[in-house]
Amino acid sequence: GAVVSQHPSRVICKSGTSVKIECRSLDFQATTMFWYRQFPKQSLMLMATSNEGSKATYEQGVEKDKFLINHASLTLSTLTVTSAHPEDSSFYICSATREGHGYTFGSGTRLTVV
Amino acid sequence: QKEVEQDPGPLSVPEGAIVSLNCTYSNSAFQYFMWYRQYSRKGPELLMYTYSSGNKEDGRFTAQVDKSSKYISLFIRDSQPSDSATYLCAFDRGSTLGRLYFGRGTQLTVWP
């Protein structure tokens, strides 16, 4: 089956620094990737939709200059949290899909900003 | 009104019990109905997927969809401690490569 690898699984960073999270589709070419954010005991909130080779589409209220998304190839999308602050601490999950196939999720990244 | 409503629980049952999880939705454009299981600090994994009203069975799991009432359910028979997880309902409008809409998840604990 389809496999999506997300790295790192856990990261702790200092306030003001930037963190990059990678999402790779290992055995298929993902034309679209989604980035979600999940707070404890809350649902997955879509942050942005990323199509290979084009700019990401951000959901209302998500700062595109703070959450930089790059989808340079059909197997890799990255989310960079710039100038991270404690309120950015959360669980970030990517999902990859291609037409005719379902959605495969990564294992998530727990970000803690101290 | 939220597009998806799901009781967050928590729900605690003894091993062997039948578990019923439910979601309601308001968006008539939803065409595909899914249930995901999410273990603590992991990404969601697809459990059941259906696109029509009625029941779909897969082992101990049965997904039920009632489009007229905008109500979906997931039943777990002979529940096991390994079923302890958060269960999220999810909906797809069927547009090409569109996003999913999630419920907030129901936390289930099955105790031995």
Side-chain angles (χ1 to χ4, degrees):
Chain A
V3 178
V4 171
S5 173
Q6 187 173 341
H7 181 80
S9 60
R10 179 179 292 186
V11 59
I12 301 173
C13 71
K14 291 185 177 180
S15 185
T17 62
S18 295
V19 173
K20 180 183 284 189
I21 303 170
E22 289 189 351
C23 181
R24 292 180 184 273
S25 54
L26 297 184
D27 50 1
F28 68 103
Q29 293 185 324
T31 47
T32 302
M33 289 188 175
F34 303 89
W35 286 96
Y36 293 86
R37 183 174 179 175
Q38 187 179 33
F39 290 106
K41 299 186 178 181
Q42 298 294 319
S43 184
L44 281 74
M45 300 302 297
L46 182 68
M47 298 175 67
T49 301
S50 167
N51 292 298
E52 185 265 340
S54 61
K55 289 184 178 180
T57 301
Y58 289 81
E59 294 296 301
Q60 190 174 9
V62 177
E63 299 176 60
K64 62 180 181 181
D65 294 329
K66 181 170 186 60
F67 299 99
L68 301 178
I69 292 173
N70 183 280
H71 193 165
S73 76
L74 286 171
T75 59
L76 174 64
S77 177
T78 60
L79 167 67
T80 301
V81 183
T82 63
S83 186
H85 288 92
E87 58 266 30
D88 298 323
S89 298
S90 188
F91 192 56
Y92 294 85
I93 307 174
C94 70
S95 172
T97 189
R98 59 177 171 156
E99 191 162 357
H101 293 74
Y103 302 83
T104 304
F105 287 82
S107 56
T109 297
R110 181 160 302 280
L111 170 64
T112 303
V113 185
V114 298
Chain B
Q1 182 184 11
K2 288 185 178 179
E3 285 190 294
V4 179
E5 298 275 5
Q6 182 177 13
D7 186 340
L11 186 61
S12 181
V13 302
E15 183 175 356
I18 297 174
V19 176
S20 173
L21 305 166
N22 311 293
C23 286
T24 59
Y25 64 97
S26 60
N27 192 335
S28 298
F30 290 154
Q31 297 185 27
Y32 299 92
F33 311 91
M34 289 151 278
W35 285 95
Y36 283 83
R37 178 174 60 195
Q38 185 178 24
Y39 291 111
S40 180
R41 302 184 179 185
K42 296 293 184 183
E45 54 177 332
L46 182 65
L47 266 182
M48 298 287 286
Y49 172 94
T50 186
Y51 57 88
S52 59
S53 284
N55 294 349
K56 181 178 181 180
E57 190 173 315
D58 184 1
R60 296 185 295 109
F61 299 89
T62 299
Q64 189 175 80
V65 174
D66 183 346
K67 286 187 176 180
S68 62
S69 301
K70 295 189 174 64
Y71 188 88
I72 69 171
S73 299
L74 177 71
F75 298 96
I76 307 174
R77 290 185 301 279
D78 187 25
S79 56
Q80 303 293 310
S82 58
D83 295 328
S84 299
T86 295
Y87 291 80
L88 302 115
C89 56
F91 302 82
D92 185 349
R93 291 186 299 179
S95 57
T96 303
L97 301 179
R99 57 163 295 180
L100 294 180
Y101 295 79
F102 285 91
R104 61 183 297 185
T106 299
Q107 185 179 347
L108 171 68
T109 301
V110 181
W111 42 275

